[in-house]
Amino acid sequence: MKHEKGSVLLISLVMLLILTIVGIASISGVSMTEKMTNSQRDYDIAFEMAEAALVQGETWIDDYSAGFSVEHLSDSCSGTTCFTENCNAGLCFRGEYLSEGSLCELDSSGTPVWQSEAIWDSNAATYSRNIAAVEPPKYLVEFLCLTAVDPTSQTSDLAYMYRITSLAYGTHPETRVMLQSTYKVEKTN
């Protein structure tokens, strides 16, 4: 009978050890789930900010399109609506567009402007509303020359083609989202 009393204590200790291991494992699982949820939330915030900057770039194009001028693509342009190789004020153009009636040629050599960290740091347009984030969202508007309004049609109606790229960060610097859209605006003249 005396041997049995010691075995109850041993069984109780083994059961306590098993319950402790199960408790620690469940706490680790909850902690991992919480981290994943926070990361997804941070990504969602960055995505929404990038999307807002993209829409602001598209709105800028809509407002600007009626005042389009070939002069805005030339090296001698001065002002706030000049499309340059360095993307001053977030407006980019790499190529040649000599006159309103001529075709435009893009220079696709080198690193695309939206992949240049220096351009994002110094020349990108900044989203106009204040948002709590690591950095305010930014965007670039690239002029991509002319394209047919309807490629399946035999008419010669042309439209201006742009690429808008936005970059936003979440509440942590490692959360970064970049979005792009191509935007076509019919010529009004």
Coordinates of all heavy atoms in Angstrom, one line a residue, residues 60-150:
W60 N -5.1 64.7 -60.6 CA -4.3 65.8 -61.1 C -4.2 65.7 -62.7 O -4.3 66.7 -63.3 CB -2.8 65.6 -60.6 CG -1.9 66.7 -61.0 CD1 -1.7 67.9 -60.4 CD2 -1.2 66.8 -62.2 NE1 -0.9 68.7 -61.1 CE2 -0.5 68.0 -62.3 CE3 -1.0 65.9 -63.3 CZ2 0.3 68.4 -63.3 CZ3 -0.2 66.3 -64.3 CH2 0.5 67.5 -64.3
I61 N -4.2 64.5 -63.2 CA -4.2 64.4 -64.7 C -5.5 64.9 -65.3 O -5.5 65.6 -66.3 CB -3.9 62.9 -65.1 CG1 -2.5 62.5 -64.8 CG2 -4.2 62.7 -66.6 CD1 -2.2 61.0 -64.9
D62 N -6.6 64.5 -64.7 CA -7.9 65.0 -65.2 C -7.9 66.6 -65.2 O -8.4 67.2 -66.1 CB -9.0 64.5 -64.3 CG -9.3 63.0 -64.6 OD1 -9.0 62.5 -65.7 OD2 -9.9 62.4 -63.7
D63 N -7.4 67.2 -64.1 CA -7.4 68.6 -64.0 C -6.4 69.3 -65.0 O -6.7 70.3 -65.5 CB -7.1 69.1 -62.6 CG -8.1 68.7 -61.6 OD1 -9.3 68.3 -62.0 OD2 -7.8 68.6 -60.4
Y64 N -5.3 68.6 -65.2 CA -4.3 69.1 -66.1 C -4.5 68.9 -67.6 O -4.2 69.7 -68.4 CB -2.9 68.5 -65.7 CG -1.9 68.6 -66.8 CD1 -1.2 69.8 -66.9 CD2 -1.6 67.6 -67.6 CE1 -0.1 69.9 -67.8 CE2 -0.5 67.7 -68.6 CZ 0.1 68.9 -68.7 OH 1.1 69.0 -69.6
S65 N -5.2 67.9 -68.0 CA -5.3 67.4 -69.4 C -5.7 68.5 -70.4 O -5.3 68.5 -71.5 CB -6.1 66.1 -69.5 OG -7.5 66.4 -69.1
A66 N -6.7 69.3 -70.0 CA -7.1 70.4 -70.9 C -6.0 71.4 -71.2 O -6.0 72.0 -72.2 CB -8.3 71.1 -70.3
G67 N -5.1 71.5 -70.3 CA -4.0 72.5 -70.5 C -2.7 71.9 -71.0 O -1.6 72.5 -70.9
F68 N -2.8 70.6 -71.5 CA -1.6 70.0 -72.0 C -0.9 70.8 -73.1 O -1.5 71.3 -74.0 CB -1.9 68.6 -72.6 CG -0.7 67.9 -73.1 CD1 0.1 67.1 -72.2 CD2 -0.3 67.9 -74.4 CE1 1.2 66.4 -72.7 CE2 0.8 67.3 -74.9 CZ 1.6 66.5 -74.1
S69 N 0.4 70.9 -73.0 CA 1.2 71.6 -74.0 C 2.5 70.8 -74.2 O 3.1 70.3 -73.3 CB 1.5 73.0 -73.5 OG 2.5 73.6 -74.4
V70 N 2.9 70.7 -75.5 CA 4.2 70.1 -75.8 C 5.3 70.8 -75.1 O 6.3 70.2 -74.7 CB 4.4 70.1 -77.3 CG1 5.8 69.6 -77.7 CG2 3.4 69.4 -78.0
E71 N 5.2 72.1 -74.8 CA 6.2 72.9 -74.1 C 6.5 72.3 -72.7 O 7.6 72.4 -72.2 CB 5.8 74.3 -73.9 CG 5.7 75.0 -75.2 CD 7.0 75.1 -76.0 OE1 8.0 75.3 -75.4 OE2 7.0 74.8 -77.2
H72 N 5.5 71.6 -72.1 CA 5.7 71.0 -70.8 C 6.6 69.8 -70.8 O 7.0 69.3 -69.8 CB 4.3 70.6 -70.2 CG 3.4 71.7 -69.9 ND1 2.1 71.6 -69.8 CD2 3.7 73.1 -69.8 CE1 1.5 72.8 -69.6 NE2 2.5 73.7 -69.6
L73 N 6.9 69.3 -72.0 CA 7.8 68.2 -72.2 C 9.2 68.6 -72.6 O 10.1 67.7 -72.7 CB 7.2 67.2 -73.2 CG 5.8 66.6 -72.9 CD1 5.3 65.8 -74.1 CD2 5.8 65.8 -71.6
S74 N 9.4 69.8 -72.9 CA 10.7 70.3 -73.4 C 11.7 70.6 -72.2 O 11.3 70.8 -71.1 CB 10.5 71.6 -74.2 OG 10.3 72.7 -73.4
D75 N 13.0 70.6 -72.6 CA 14.0 70.9 -71.6 C 14.0 72.3 -71.1 O 14.4 72.7 -70.0 CB 15.4 70.6 -72.2 CG 15.6 69.1 -72.4 OD1 14.9 68.3 -71.8 OD2 16.4 68.8 -73.3
S76 N 13.4 73.2 -71.9 CA 13.3 74.6 -71.6 C 12.1 75.0 -70.8 O 11.9 76.2 -70.4 CB 13.4 75.5 -72.8 OG 12.3 75.2 -73.7
C77 N 11.3 74.0 -70.4 CA 10.1 74.3 -69.6 C 10.4 74.9 -68.2 O 11.4 74.4 -67.6 CB 9.2 73.0 -69.5 SG 7.7 73.3 -68.5
S78 N 9.6 75.8 -67.8 CA 9.8 76.3 -66.4 C 8.4 76.4 -65.8 O 7.4 76.7 -66.5 CB 10.5 77.7 -66.4 OG 9.7 78.6 -67.1
G79 N 8.2 76.2 -64.6 CA 6.9 76.2 -63.9 C 6.7 74.9 -63.2 O 7.6 74.1 -63.0
T80 N 5.4 74.7 -62.8 CA 5.1 73.6 -62.0 C 4.5 72.4 -62.8 O 4.2 71.4 -62.2 CB 4.1 74.0 -60.9 OG1 2.9 74.5 -61.6 CG2 4.6 75.0 -59.9
T81 N 4.3 72.6 -64.1 CA 3.8 71.5 -64.9 C 4.8 70.9 -65.9 O 4.4 70.5 -67.0 CB 2.5 71.9 -65.6 OG1 2.8 73.1 -66.3 CG2 1.4 72.2 -64.6
C82 N 6.0 70.9 -65.6 CA 7.1 70.4 -66.5 C 7.3 69.0 -66.2 O 7.6 68.6 -65.1 CB 8.3 71.2 -66.3 SG 8.2 73.0 -66.6
F83 N 7.3 68.2 -67.2 CA 7.6 66.7 -67.2 C 9.1 66.6 -67.5 O 9.5 67.0 -68.6 CB 6.8 65.9 -68.2 CG 5.3 65.8 -67.8 CD1 4.4 66.9 -68.0 CD2 4.8 64.7 -67.2 CE1 3.1 66.7 -67.7 CE2 3.5 64.5 -66.9 CZ 2.6 65.6 -67.1
T84 N 9.9 66.1 -66.5 CA 11.3 66.0 -66.7 C 11.8 64.6 -66.5 O 11.2 63.8 -65.9 CB 12.0 67.0 -65.7 OG1 11.8 66.5 -64.4 CG2 11.5 68.4 -65.9
E85 N 13.1 64.4 -66.9 CA 13.7 63.1 -66.6 C 13.9 62.8 -65.2 O 13.9 61.7 -64.7 CB 15.1 63.0 -67.3 CG 15.0 62.8 -68.8 CD 16.4 62.6 -69.4 OE1 17.3 62.0 -68.7 OE2 16.6 62.9 -70.6
N86 N 14.1 63.9 -64.4 CA 14.3 63.7 -62.9 C 13.0 63.8 -62.1 O 13.0 63.7 -60.9 CB 15.2 64.8 -62.4 CG 16.6 64.6 -63.0 OD1 17.1 63.5 -63.3 ND2 17.3 65.7 -63.2
C87 N 11.9 63.9 -62.8 CA 10.5 63.9 -62.2 C 10.3 65.0 -61.2 O 9.8 64.8 -60.1 CB 10.3 62.5 -61.5 SG 10.4 61.1 -62.6
N88 N 10.7 66.2 -61.5 CA 10.5 67.4 -60.7 C 9.0 67.5 -60.4 O 8.2 67.4 -61.3 CB 11.1 68.7 -61.3 CG 12.6 68.6 -61.4 OD1 13.2 67.9 -60.6 ND2 13.1 69.4 -62.3
A89 N 8.7 67.7 -59.1 CA 7.3 67.8 -58.6 C 6.5 66.5 -59.0 O 5.3 66.5 -59.1 CB 6.6 69.0 -59.2
G90 N 7.2 65.4 -59.2 CA 6.5 64.1 -59.4 C 6.1 63.9 -60.9 O 5.4 63.0 -61.2
L91 N 6.5 64.8 -61.8 CA 6.1 64.7 -63.2 C 7.3 64.2 -64.0 O 8.3 64.9 -64.1 CB 5.6 66.1 -63.7 CG 4.5 66.7 -62.9 CD1 4.1 68.1 -63.4 CD2 3.3 65.8 -62.9
C92 N 7.1 63.1 -64.7 CA 8.2 62.4 -65.4 C 8.0 62.3 -66.9 O 6.9 62.0 -67.3 CB 8.5 61.0 -64.8 SG 8.5 61.0 -63.0
F93 N 9.1 62.4 -67.6 CA 9.0 62.1 -69.1 C 10.5 61.8 -69.5 O 11.4 62.7 -69.4 CB 8.4 63.2 -69.9 CG 8.5 63.0 -71.4 CD1 7.8 61.9 -71.9 CD2 9.2 63.8 -72.3 CE1 7.8 61.6 -73.3 CE2 9.2 63.5 -73.6 CZ 8.5 62.4 -74.1
R94 N 10.7 60.7 -70.1 CA 12.0 60.3 -70.6 C 11.7 60.0 -72.1 O 11.2 58.9 -72.4 CB 12.6 59.1 -69.9 CG 13.1 59.4 -68.5 CD 13.8 58.3 -67.9 NE 14.4 58.6 -66.7 CZ 14.9 57.8 -65.8 NH1 15.0 56.5 -66.2 NH2 15.4 58.2 -64.7
G95 N 12.1 60.9 -73.0 CA 11.9 60.7 -74.4 C 11.9 62.0 -75.1 O 12.4 63.0 -74.6
E96 N 11.3 61.9 -76.4 CA 11.2 63.1 -77.2 C 9.8 63.3 -77.8 O 9.2 62.3 -78.2 CB 12.2 63.0 -78.4 CG 13.6 63.2 -78.0 CD 14.5 63.2 -79.2 OE1 14.2 63.9 -80.2 OE2 15.6 62.5 -79.2
Y97 N 9.3 64.5 -77.7 CA 8.0 64.8 -78.3 C 8.2 66.2 -78.9 O 8.1 67.2 -78.2 CB 6.9 64.8 -77.2 CG 5.5 64.9 -77.7 CD1 5.1 64.2 -78.9 CD2 4.6 65.7 -77.0 CE1 3.8 64.3 -79.3 CE2 3.3 65.8 -77.5 CZ 2.9 65.1 -78.6 OH 1.6 65.2 -79.1
L98 N 8.5 66.2 -80.2 CA 9.0 67.4 -80.8 C 7.9 68.5 -81.1 O 8.1 69.6 -80.9 CB 9.8 67.1 -82.1 CG 11.0 66.2 -81.9 CD1 11.6 65.8 -83.2 CD2 12.0 66.8 -80.9
S99 N 6.8 68.0 -81.5 CA 5.7 68.9 -81.8 C 4.3 68.2 -81.7 O 4.3 67.0 -81.7 CB 5.8 69.5 -83.3 OG 5.7 68.5 -84.2
E100 N 3.3 69.0 -81.7 CA 2.0 68.5 -81.4 C 1.6 67.4 -82.5 O 0.9 66.5 -82.2 CB 0.9 69.6 -81.4 CG -0.4 69.2 -81.0 CD -0.5 68.7 -79.6 OE1 0.1 69.3 -78.7 OE2 -1.2 67.7 -79.3
G101 N 2.0 67.6 -83.7 CA 1.6 66.7 -84.8 C 2.5 65.4 -84.9 O 2.2 64.5 -85.6
S102 N 3.6 65.5 -84.2 CA 4.6 64.4 -84.4 C 4.4 63.3 -83.4 O 3.7 63.5 -82.4 CB 6.0 64.9 -84.3 OG 6.3 65.3 -82.9
L103 N 5.0 62.1 -83.6 CA 4.9 61.0 -82.7 C 5.9 61.3 -81.6 O 6.9 62.0 -81.8 CB 5.1 59.7 -83.4 CG 4.0 59.3 -84.3 CD1 4.4 58.0 -85.0 CD2 2.7 59.1 -83.6
C104 N 5.7 60.6 -80.5 CA 6.6 60.8 -79.4 C 7.4 59.5 -79.2 O 6.9 58.4 -79.5 CB 5.7 61.1 -78.2 SG 6.1 60.6 -76.6
E105 N 8.7 59.6 -78.8 CA 9.5 58.4 -78.6 C 9.9 58.4 -77.1 O 10.5 59.3 -76.6 CB 10.7 58.5 -79.5 CG 10.4 58.3 -80.9 CD 11.7 58.3 -81.8 OE1 12.8 58.1 -81.2 OE2 11.6 58.6 -83.0
L106 N 9.7 57.2 -76.5 CA 10.1 57.0 -75.1 C 11.5 56.5 -75.1 O 11.9 55.7 -75.9 CB 9.2 56.0 -74.4 CG 7.8 56.5 -74.1 CD1 7.0 55.4 -73.4 CD2 7.9 57.7 -73.1
D107 N 12.3 56.9 -74.1 CA 13.6 56.4 -73.8 C 13.5 55.3 -72.7 O 13.3 55.7 -71.5 CB 14.6 57.5 -73.4 CG 16.0 56.9 -73.1 OD1 16.2 55.7 -73.3 OD2 16.8 57.7 -72.6
S108 N 13.5 54.1 -73.1 CA 13.3 53.0 -72.1 C 14.6 52.4 -71.5 O 14.6 51.4 -70.8 CB 12.4 51.9 -72.6 OG 13.0 51.3 -73.8
S109 N 15.7 53.1 -71.9 CA 17.0 52.6 -71.4 C 17.1 53.0 -69.9 O 16.6 54.0 -69.5 CB 18.1 53.1 -72.2 OG 18.2 54.5 -72.1
G110 N 17.9 52.3 -69.2 CA 18.2 52.7 -67.8 C 17.1 52.2 -66.8 O 16.2 51.5 -67.2
T111 N 17.3 52.6 -65.6 CA 16.3 52.2 -64.6 C 15.0 53.0 -64.7 O 15.1 54.2 -64.8 CB 16.9 52.5 -63.2 OG1 18.2 51.8 -63.1 CG2 16.0 52.0 -62.1
P112 N 13.9 52.3 -64.6 CA 12.6 53.0 -64.7 C 12.5 54.0 -63.5 O 13.1 53.7 -62.4 CB 11.6 51.9 -64.5 CG 12.2 50.7 -64.9 CD 13.7 50.8 -64.6
V113 N 11.9 55.2 -63.7 CA 11.9 56.2 -62.7 C 11.3 55.7 -61.4 O 11.7 56.1 -60.3 CB 11.2 57.5 -63.2 CG1 12.0 58.1 -64.3 CG2 9.7 57.2 -63.6
W114 N 10.3 54.9 -61.5 CA 9.6 54.4 -60.3 C 10.4 53.4 -59.5 O 10.1 53.1 -58.3 CB 8.2 53.8 -60.6 CG 8.2 52.8 -61.7 CD1 8.1 53.0 -63.0 CD2 8.3 51.4 -61.5 NE1 8.1 51.8 -63.7 CE2 8.3 50.8 -62.7 CE3 8.5 50.6 -60.4 CZ2 8.4 49.4 -62.9 CZ3 8.6 49.2 -60.6 CH2 8.5 48.6 -61.8
Q115 N 11.6 53.0 -60.0 CA 12.5 52.1 -59.3 C 13.7 52.8 -58.7 O 14.5 52.3 -58.0 CB 13.0 51.0 -60.2 CG 11.9 49.9 -60.5 CD 12.5 48.8 -61.4 OE1 13.6 48.9 -61.9 NE2 11.8 47.7 -61.5
S116 N 13.7 54.1 -58.9 CA 14.8 54.9 -58.4 C 14.5 55.5 -57.0 O 13.6 56.3 -56.8 CB 15.1 56.1 -59.4 OG 16.0 57.0 -58.8
E117 N 15.3 55.0 -56.0 CA 15.1 55.5 -54.6 C 15.3 57.0 -54.5 O 14.6 57.7 -53.8 CB 16.0 54.7 -53.7 CG 15.6 54.7 -52.3 CD 14.3 53.9 -52.0 OE1 14.2 52.8 -52.6 OE2 13.5 54.4 -51.2
A118 N 16.3 57.5 -55.3 CA 16.6 59.0 -55.2 C 15.4 59.8 -55.7 O 15.2 60.9 -55.1 CB 17.8 59.2 -56.1
I119 N 14.7 59.4 -56.7 CA 13.6 60.1 -57.2 C 12.5 60.1 -56.2 O 11.9 61.1 -55.9 CB 13.1 59.6 -58.6 CG1 14.2 60.0 -59.6 CG2 11.7 60.1 -58.9 CD1 13.9 59.5 -61.0
W120 N 12.2 59.0 -55.6 CA 11.2 58.9 -54.5 C 11.5 59.8 -53.3 O 10.7 60.5 -52.8 CB 11.0 57.5 -54.0 CG 10.2 56.6 -55.0 CD1 10.6 55.6 -55.7 CD2 8.8 56.8 -55.3 NE1 9.6 55.1 -56.5 CE2 8.5 55.8 -56.3 CE3 7.8 57.6 -54.9 CZ2 7.2 55.6 -56.8 CZ3 6.5 57.5 -55.4 CH2 6.2 56.5 -56.4
D121 N 12.8 59.8 -53.0 CA 13.2 60.6 -51.8 C 13.2 62.1 -52.0 O 12.8 62.9 -51.1 CB 14.7 60.2 -51.4 CG 14.8 58.8 -50.8 OD1 13.7 58.3 -50.4 OD2 15.9 58.3 -50.8
S122 N 13.4 62.6 -53.3 CA 13.6 64.0 -53.4 C 12.6 64.7 -54.4 O 12.3 65.8 -54.3 CB 15.0 64.4 -53.9 OG 15.3 63.7 -55.1
N123 N 12.0 63.9 -55.4 CA 11.2 64.6 -56.4 C 9.8 64.1 -56.5 O 9.0 64.7 -57.3 CB 11.9 64.3 -57.8 CG 13.3 65.0 -57.9 OD1 13.6 65.8 -57.0 ND2 14.0 64.7 -58.9
A124 N 9.4 63.1 -55.8 CA 8.0 62.6 -55.9 C 7.0 63.6 -55.3 O 7.3 64.4 -54.4 CB 7.9 61.3 -55.3
A125 N 5.8 63.7 -55.9 CA 4.8 64.5 -55.4 C 4.2 63.8 -54.1 O 4.2 62.6 -54.0 CB 3.6 64.6 -56.4
T126 N 3.9 64.6 -53.1 CA 3.4 64.1 -51.8 C 1.9 64.2 -51.7 O 1.4 65.2 -52.1 CB 4.1 64.8 -50.6 OG1 5.5 64.8 -50.8 CG2 3.7 64.3 -49.3
Y127 N 1.3 63.2 -51.2 CA -0.2 63.2 -51.0 C -0.5 64.4 -50.1 O 0.2 64.7 -49.1 CB -0.6 61.9 -50.3 CG -2.0 61.7 -50.1 CD1 -2.9 61.6 -51.2 CD2 -2.6 61.6 -48.8 CE1 -4.3 61.5 -51.0 CE2 -3.9 61.5 -48.6 CZ -4.8 61.4 -49.7 OH -6.1 61.2 -49.5
S128 N -1.6 65.1 -50.5 CA -1.9 66.4 -49.9 C -2.5 66.3 -48.5 O -2.6 67.4 -47.8 CB -2.8 67.2 -50.8 OG -4.0 66.5 -51.0
R129 N -3.0 65.2 -48.0 CA -3.7 65.2 -46.7 C -2.7 64.6 -45.7 O -1.9 63.7 -46.0 CB -4.9 64.3 -46.8 CG -6.0 65.0 -47.7 CD -7.3 64.4 -47.5 NE -8.3 65.1 -48.2 CZ -8.7 64.7 -49.4 NH1 -8.2 63.6 -50.0 NH2 -9.6 65.4 -50.1
N130 N -2.8 65.1 -44.5 CA -2.0 64.5 -43.4 C -2.5 63.2 -42.9 O -3.7 63.1 -42.6 CB -1.9 65.5 -42.2 CG -1.1 66.8 -42.5 OD1 -0.2 66.7 -43.3 ND2 -1.5 67.9 -41.9
I131 N -1.7 62.2 -42.8 CA -2.0 60.9 -42.4 C -1.0 60.4 -41.4 O 0.2 60.6 -41.7 CB -2.1 59.9 -43.6 CG1 -3.2 60.4 -44.6 CG2 -2.4 58.5 -43.2 CD1 -3.2 59.5 -45.9
A132 N -1.4 59.7 -40.4 CA -0.4 59.2 -39.4 C 0.2 58.0 -40.0 O -0.4 56.9 -40.1 CB -1.1 58.9 -38.1
A133 N 1.4 58.1 -40.4 CA 2.2 57.0 -41.0 C 3.7 57.3 -40.8 O 4.1 58.4 -40.4 CB 1.9 56.8 -42.5
V134 N 4.5 56.3 -41.2 CA 5.9 56.5 -41.1 C 6.4 57.7 -42.0 O 7.2 58.5 -41.6 CB 6.7 55.3 -41.5 CG1 8.2 55.5 -41.7 CG2 6.4 54.1 -40.6
E135 N 5.7 57.8 -43.2 CA 6.0 58.8 -44.2 C 4.7 59.0 -45.0 O 4.0 58.1 -45.2 CB 7.1 58.2 -45.1 CG 8.0 59.2 -45.7 CD 9.1 58.6 -46.5 OE1 9.8 57.7 -46.0 OE2 9.2 58.9 -47.7
P136 N 4.5 60.3 -45.4 CA 3.3 60.5 -46.2 C 3.4 59.8 -47.6 O 4.5 59.6 -48.1 CB 3.2 62.0 -46.4 CG 4.5 62.5 -46.0 CD 5.2 61.5 -45.2
P137 N 2.3 59.3 -48.1 CA 2.3 58.6 -49.4 C 2.8 59.6 -50.5 O 2.6 60.8 -50.4 CB 0.9 58.2 -49.7 CG 0.1 58.5 -48.4 CD 0.9 59.4 -47.6
K138 N 3.4 59.0 -51.5 CA 4.0 59.8 -52.6 C 3.5 59.2 -53.9 O 3.1 58.1 -54.0 CB 5.5 59.8 -52.6 CG 6.1 60.5 -51.3 CD 7.6 60.4 -51.3 CE 8.1 61.0 -50.0 NZ 9.6 60.9 -50.0
Y139 N 3.6 60.0 -55.0 CA 3.3 59.5 -56.3 C 4.1 60.2 -57.4 O 4.6 61.3 -57.3 CB 1.7 59.6 -56.6 CG 1.2 61.0 -56.7 CD1 1.1 61.7 -57.9 CD2 0.8 61.7 -55.5 CE1 0.6 63.0 -58.0 CE2 0.2 62.9 -55.6 CZ 0.2 63.6 -56.8 OH -0.3 64.9 -56.9
L140 N 4.2 59.4 -58.5 CA 4.8 59.9 -59.7 C 3.9 59.8 -60.9 O 3.1 58.8 -61.0 CB 6.1 59.1 -60.1 CG 7.2 59.1 -59.1 CD1 8.3 58.0 -59.5 CD2 7.8 60.4 -58.9
V141 N 3.9 60.8 -61.8 CA 3.0 60.8 -63.0 C 4.0 60.8 -64.2 O 4.7 61.7 -64.4 CB 2.1 62.0 -63.1 CG1 1.3 62.0 -64.4 CG2 1.1 62.0 -61.9
E142 N 4.0 59.7 -64.9 CA 4.9 59.6 -66.1 C 4.0 59.8 -67.4 O 3.0 59.1 -67.5 CB 5.5 58.2 -66.2 CG 6.5 57.9 -65.1 CD 7.0 56.5 -65.2 OE1 7.9 56.2 -66.1 OE2 6.5 55.7 -64.4
F143 N 4.5 60.7 -68.3 CA 3.9 60.8 -69.6 C 4.4 59.7 -70.5 O 5.6 59.6 -70.6 CB 4.1 62.2 -70.1 CG 3.5 62.4 -71.5 CD1 2.1 62.5 -71.6 CD2 4.3 62.5 -72.6 CE1 1.6 62.7 -72.9 CE2 3.7 62.7 -73.9 CZ 2.3 62.8 -74.0
L144 N 3.5 58.9 -71.0 CA 4.0 57.7 -71.8 C 3.6 57.9 -73.3 O 3.5 56.9 -74.0 CB 3.3 56.4 -71.3 CG 3.6 56.0 -69.9 CD1 2.9 54.8 -69.5 CD2 5.1 55.8 -69.7
C145 N 3.5 59.1 -73.8 CA 3.2 59.5 -75.2 C 1.7 59.3 -75.5 O 0.9 59.2 -74.7 CB 4.1 58.7 -76.1 SG 5.8 59.1 -75.9
L146 N 1.5 59.2 -76.8 CA 0.1 59.1 -77.4 C -0.2 57.6 -77.7 O 0.7 56.8 -78.0 CB 0.0 59.9 -78.6 CG 0.2 61.4 -78.4 CD1 0.4 62.1 -79.7 CD2 -0.9 62.0 -77.6
T147 N -1.5 57.3 -77.7 CA -2.0 56.0 -78.1 C -3.3 56.2 -78.7 O -4.0 57.3 -78.6 CB -2.1 55.1 -76.8 OG1 -2.4 53.8 -77.3 CG2 -3.1 55.6 -75.9
A148 N -3.8 55.2 -79.4 CA -5.1 55.3 -80.1 C -6.2 55.2 -79.0 O -6.1 54.5 -78.0 CB -5.3 54.1 -81.1
V149 N -7.2 56.0 -79.2 CA -8.3 56.0 -78.3 C -8.9 54.6 -78.3 O -9.2 54.0 -77.2 CB -9.4 57.1 -78.6 CG1 -10.6 56.9 -77.8 CG2 -8.8 58.4 -78.4
D150 N -9.2 54.1 -79.4 CA -9.7 52.7 -79.6 C -8.8 51.9 -80.6 O -8.9 52.2 -81.8 CB -11.2 52.8 -80.1 CG -11.8 51.4 -80.3 OD1 -11.2 50.4 -79.9 OD2 -12.9 51.3 -80.8

